[in-house]
Amino acid sequence: MATTLSPDEMKRFVRSHFEDFVNKRNAAVIHKNMTADFYDHDGPGGKPSDAQGDEQMMLGMYEAMPDLHLTIEEMIAEGDKVVCRNIWRWTDPSGKKMQFHGSVLWRFEGDKIAERWATVTSPAEGTAWAAREASKSVGKLAS
């Protein structure tokens, strides 16, 4: 089935999904946003998964990374697909600011996401993240 959404509507949907699923820590939203036969080609551990597998992965990430935050850097939509480039950031237990970059391709059916493909970098200490946090602290001290 083709999507019923325009490219701009698909981009808004993906932005809202990431905000709820990652930043607001609402893993259950995946069941509302994905088709019943949703297929994640690159699920947890790089293995195919379904909505339940992705939900469990995110619950584990919430626990391990309490300050996890995703920032969308860029999105492109065409036909029934959206590509999203993003950065995931968190603080590890030792206090290091960490991040990884990802690119996700989402395919829509009707008004929901039917498939996902993702490529991510290895987690690394994030200098941009640390610099951003330091500048926030300096700004607060100056006020």
Side-chain angles (χ1 to χ4, degrees):
M1 168 192 346
T3 185
T4 57
L5 303 176
S6 72
D8 283 341
E9 288 171 326
M10 290 188 302
K11 289 194 301 188
R12 281 192 297 275
F13 189 103
V14 167
R15 186 174 302 281
S16 177
H17 174 71
F18 267 140
E19 186 63 27
D20 289 340
F21 193 57
V22 181
N23 296 339
K24 292 182 179 176
R25 289 157 179 63
N26 180 6
V29 76
I30 197 166
H31 299 289
K32 179 185 93 166
N33 293 342
M34 302 340 195
T35 60
D37 61 347
F38 167 74
Y39 190 78
D40 185 345
H41 295 267
D42 302 302
K47 296 183 174 87
S49 183
D50 58 9
Q52 184 69 29
D54 283 6
E55 178 183 30
Q56 292 306 309
M57 173 192 65
M58 281 309 300
L59 291 171
M61 290 179 79
Y62 301 157
E63 190 172 319
M65 307 167 184
D67 65 342
L68 179 64
H69 185 82
L70 177 135
T71 303
I72 294 173
E73 297 290 305
E74 184 175 20
M75 277 197 285
I76 301 169
E78 182 177 314
D80 63 354
K81 295 180 181 73
V82 173
V83 175
C84 182
R85 187 173 59 84
N86 51 60
I87 301 174
W88 299 63
R89 296 179 171 108
W90 70 98
T91 307
D92 79 2
S94 72
K96 288 182 187 167
K97 300 296 183 184
M98 302 295 293
Q99 67 182 20
F100 66 84
H101 298 256
S103 293
V104 182
L105 171 64
W106 307 92
R107 187 183 67 78
F108 282 77
E109 282 184 8
D111 62 351
K112 296 186 179 205
I113 297 170
E115 291 183 273
R116 174 188 174 271
W117 294 262
T119 302
V120 298
T121 61
S122 295
E125 197 165 351
T127 55
W129 172 250
R132 186 179 80 151
E133 292 300 307
S135 70
K136 282 183 186 175
S137 296
V138 169
K140 287 179 184 174
L141 292 174
S143 334

